[in-house]
Each structure stands twice: as C-alpha cells, then as structure tokens.
Amino acid sequence: MKIKLTSVYVDDQEKALRFYTDVLGFTKKADFTNGPFRWLTVASAEEPDGTELQLALNNNPAAKAYQQAIFKQGQPALMLFTDDINGDHERIKANGGSFAMAPTEVTGSTIAQLNDTCGNLIQITQLARW
C-alpha cells in the first residue's frame, strides 16, 4: 500500500495553481471540471509520477473552518522535504514566495515556513545529516 494523493484546501484554485507551479516549481498533473467542481492536482517536478497534491477548494464550511483554524494556530497544512533548504529558500523568494520563518535549525532538521497565498502555511524541512 502507498499514498498516491493527499489534499490541501485553498481559497482560490487558480491562485493556488500559480503558487504551487510558478513559485514552488511543481507541475500540474490533472485539471478538469464537472459542473461547479474542479479537480486540480500538482506533483513534484522531481517525482512527476509520485504523490499528487490536490488543490481542493475550501467551499465547504467545515473545510474553510479547518483551514482557517490551523493557519491561525501557525500549524502548517503541508510539509515538504528537501535536500537543500537554503537553496530552495532563495529560489522560492526569488519567485515571489513570502516566508513566515526563514530556515531555522531545530532538533534533527532545519525548517522554514511560507504562506501559500491561499490560506495555508507550508513547512519545508531538511533532515539533519548525522
């Protein structure tokens, strides 16, 4: 068994698509509509056939409340992993990304947090090399 898809709620799917592709460097994987519903996914450019991230519209009151509550608590909605957090930090900033926390060493890793402009904090993690 493996994880093939996970979701993050966004308040604007088009804006989210621009952020996740233009700023983070992901690739669009699926994009189709059925009536008012839009199925939109992205994947890592490094693993285009890996796990997909659904950019799900938060038009459900429970989804919107959840998204707003974890953002208010400062809890990331998504955790991404990298082998070069400082390089990714600079690349993402150059592409217009806004960091709430620059790369910071914590126990066992270095983390950074940024706002995805669609209602979420995203954490980027580089595991420590022992």
Side-chain angles (χ1 to χ4, degrees):
M1 207 179 320
K2 59 185 168 182
I3 297 171
K4 185 66 179 159
L5 176 85
T6 190
S7 301
V8 64
Y9 290 109
V10 298
D11 57 19
D12 181 318
Q13 286 177 303
E14 198 56 41
K15 186 166 68 169
L17 179 60
R18 283 191 305 273
F19 175 83
Y20 284 88
T21 57
D22 296 346
V23 177
L24 291 185
F26 286 16
T27 58
K28 181 168 64 169
K29 195 71 172 160
D31 187 0
F32 61 88
T33 58
N34 184 2
F37 179 77
R38 182 178 183 189
W39 180 262
L40 178 61
T41 68
V42 295
S44 168
E46 296 173 24
E47 293 181 333
D49 294 322
T51 303
E52 292 179 51
L53 177 64
Q54 179 195 15
L55 305 176
L57 187 60
N58 70 356
N59 59 352
N60 175 312
K64 185 172 237 166
Y66 169 76
Q67 180 192 31
Q68 291 173 345
I70 65 170
F71 185 89
K72 185 176 180 181
Q73 292 174 3
Q75 180 179 340
L78 178 67
M79 188 181 297
L80 305 173
F81 286 80
T82 182
D83 292 326
D84 182 12
I85 196 164
N86 292 314
D88 283 333
H89 175 254
E90 291 305 315
R91 177 184 58 80
I92 291 166
K93 276 186 6 182
N95 289 335
S98 175
F99 281 81
M101 177 196 302
T104 303
E105 288 188 26
V106 296
T107 303
S109 63
T110 302
I111 62 173
Q113 285 188 355
L114 69 151
N115 185 325
D116 78 351
T117 73
C118 300
N120 302 294
L121 290 175
I122 306 299
Q123 182 168 305
I124 301 174
T125 302
Q126 180 176 345
L127 297 175
R129 305 235 192 280
W130 300 102

